[in-house]
Amino acid sequence: MTTQRTLSIIKPDATRRNLTGAINNTIEKAGLKIVAQKRMHLTEEQAKQFYAVHKERPFYNDLVQFMISGPVVVQVLEANDAVTKYRDVMGATNPANAAEGTIRKQFAESIEANSVHGSDSAENAAKEVSFFFSEIEIAA
Ligand code: CMP
């Protein structure tokens, strides 16, 4: 398996509680390298566009409002098999089902305020990374 990239978002519930460093510690301990990172406050338009794949889901509007309720930290993570590795480190979407030691088990408040997002496939990772970052902002 060659080196792969995935897109991570530290969500407003986590930035509000000043958990960026604690989450980054878990990410780095798991062997994922943070090769780009920026803190930003998404506009409603950006959040809608990023989560457009979920626009027919009943939670879409609430999700968009939550994602613009405070700053996020968007990141590019790099490792062998980074997409799967980061999904393992994040834990289940619903923190009630997340395994011990995962980010969501440690920090998430609810299925919506679940502290982090990670790309769900290599194809989506490439799209999501380029949504937020240009190549010159990424330094491996
Ligand atoms: P994320 O990995 O960012 O992808 C979509 C997000 O929708 C998900 O994490 C959750 O934060 C949010 N969400 C809210 N309600 C639900 C739900 N019932 N099922 C799945 N995702 C949900």
Side-chain angles (χ1 to χ4, degrees):
M1 176 52 92
T2 52
T3 302
Q4 192 181 53
R5 288 174 179 170
T6 192
L7 190 277
S8 164
I9 305 178
I10 300 178
K11 296 187 181 184
D13 67 285
T15 59
R16 192 174 291 129
R17 288 174 289 150
N18 217 18
L19 290 171
T20 300
I23 290 172
N24 281 351
N25 190 33
T26 303
I27 289 170
E28 292 185 336
K29 270 194 188 151
L32 288 146
K33 186 173 175 187
I34 302 164
V35 296
Q37 173 170 271
K38 58 190 171 193
R39 185 173 169 110
M40 58 194 295
H41 202 136
L42 296 178
T43 65
E44 184 164 349
E45 198 46 52
Q46 288 167 334
K48 280 182 171 168
Q49 207 185 326
F50 183 78
Y51 279 117
V53 62
H54 294 304
K55 67 174 181 292
E56 306 304 333
R57 309 284 287 274
F59 56 80
Y60 177 67
N61 286 331
D62 285 346
L63 173 62
V64 167
Q65 292 310 310
F66 166 65
M67 290 300 290
I68 65 170
S69 67
V72 297
V73 178
V74 294
Q75 310 173 302
V76 183
L77 309 182
E78 199 172 87
N80 285 338
D81 212 7
V83 170
T84 302
K85 184 173 274 190
Y86 190 45
R87 291 187 75 77
D88 289 346
V89 173
M90 287 193 300
T93 304
N94 186 344
N97 303 326
E100 280 304 324
T102 61
I103 292 170
R104 286 166 172 162
K105 177 71 176 185
Q106 291 179 80
F107 304 118
E109 296 180 318
S110 67
I111 192 168
E112 178 177 82
N114 65 354
S115 299
V116 281
H117 165 84
S119 309
D120 64 1
S121 67
E123 190 189 352
N124 283 337
K127 286 184 197 158
E128 291 181 0
V129 166
S130 62
F131 184 88
F132 286 112
F133 294 94
S134 63
E135 205 50 45
I136 57 166
E137 294 176 293
I138 303 171

